[in-house]
Amino acid sequence: MADMGNLWEDLRKQARQLENEIDLKLVSFSKLGTNYSLHKDADSASSASKEQTSDTAPLLNRSSSEHMCDTMALEIEQLLSKLTQVNDRMVEYTQNISHSSPSAALLHTLQRHRDILQDYTHEFQKTRANITALREREDLLGSVRREINTYKNSTGLNRRTELYLKENEHIRNSERLVDEQISIAIATKENLAGQNKVLGSITQRVNSLANRFPVINSLVQRINLKKRKDSIILGGVIAVCLVLLILYAFH
């Protein structure tokens, strides 16, 4: 029983020590993020007023700040991982008490340590996300500034050469498009010519069949004529029947 009590006190002692270290690290990490933002703004203002040859100092400041941020973030992650392990061991301790259920004070202490871990984790993630956003913003603005400086520092001859190269590229693209359209037109023409030949051959075959079998044509015409006569006779009979029915109905 005494060993179990000593284990709980050791775990609480480790948890409080890690929490104090994490708290100090988070304060320093937050200040470093604020200073990082200030350095970025100062570097942006200085790079706008200086020439390209004076950009080495901001780059050095940036690399050192990023290195410090990464190092401190790694240390805080390791401390949070250790504190998580200690909290897990405290949970196991409360679950392994066999003589009775854990007391309310014990559960309250465990919950307080877990809440502290959650708060520290949330604060660390928030600060790191802010620093990451600042880095991405600085990278974007830095690339834009470098392009502007390159354009400003380029000579007139280089600009003309660049314009000529772009114009030459546009001309080549136009020629490529024209060649593609011409190829499509030629392929379409060949396809239509092939279809015309096929239709001509079919027409010739039909005409040759009609010329070879004139009797069949005359027979088909007679059959059509007989059908018309039958239709006329049938229509006349139906009309007479209708007239007779009408006369019978009125009488």
Side-chain angles (χ1 to χ4, degrees), residues 4 7-8 11-12 83-97 102 106-107 109-114 117:
M4 295 295 289
L7 177 60
W8 176 255
L11 292 175
R12 286 192 60 189
L83 183 58
T84 302
Q85 294 176 0
V86 173
N87 284 344
D88 292 339
R89 292 179 60 188
M90 294 174 73
V91 173
E92 293 178 357
Y93 174 84
T94 58
Q95 294 175 353
N96 292 331
I97 296 177
L106 193 69
L107 295 177
T109 302
L110 176 60
Q111 185 62 38
R112 184 172 62 85
H113 286 293
R114 296 179 69 179
L117 174 60

Side-chain angles (χ1 to χ4, degrees), residues 45-137:
S46 62
S47 60
S49 60
K50 295 179 181 179
E51 297 181 354
Q52 188 177 4
T53 56
S54 62
D55 290 338
T56 55
L59 291 176
L60 292 175
N61 292 332
R62 176 182 177 182
S63 61
S64 60
S65 299
E66 290 181 353
H67 179 70
M68 292 177 63
C69 288
D70 294 338
T71 302
M72 189 167 293
L74 181 60
E75 293 176 355
I76 294 174
E77 285 182 348
Q78 293 176 352
L79 291 174
L80 288 173
S81 178
K82 292 180 181 179
L83 183 58
T84 302
Q85 294 176 0
V86 173
N87 284 344
D88 292 339
R89 292 179 60 188
M90 294 174 73
V91 173
E92 293 178 357
Y93 174 84
T94 58
Q95 294 175 353
N96 292 331
I97 296 177
S98 58
H99 65 283
S100 62
S101 60
S103 62
L106 193 69
L107 295 177
H108 176 73
T109 302
L110 176 60
Q111 185 62 38
R112 184 172 62 85
H113 286 293
R114 296 179 69 179
D115 292 339
I116 292 173
L117 174 60
Q118 185 177 1
D119 293 338
Y120 284 165
T121 302
H122 178 71
E123 183 179 356
F124 169 67
Q125 292 176 352
K126 181 179 179 181
T127 304
R128 184 171 60 178
N130 292 333
I131 294 176
T132 302
L134 288 173
R135 286 184 179 179
E136 293 177 352
R137 174 177 172 272

Side-chain angles (χ1 to χ4, degrees), residues 9 26 35 56 81 86 103-104 109 143 146 150 171 199 234 239:
E9 291 298 329
L26 285 176
N35 294 331
T56 55
S81 178
V86 173
S103 62
T109 302
S143 62
R146 286 192 295 271
T150 302
I171 293 172
L199 292 175
L234 181 61

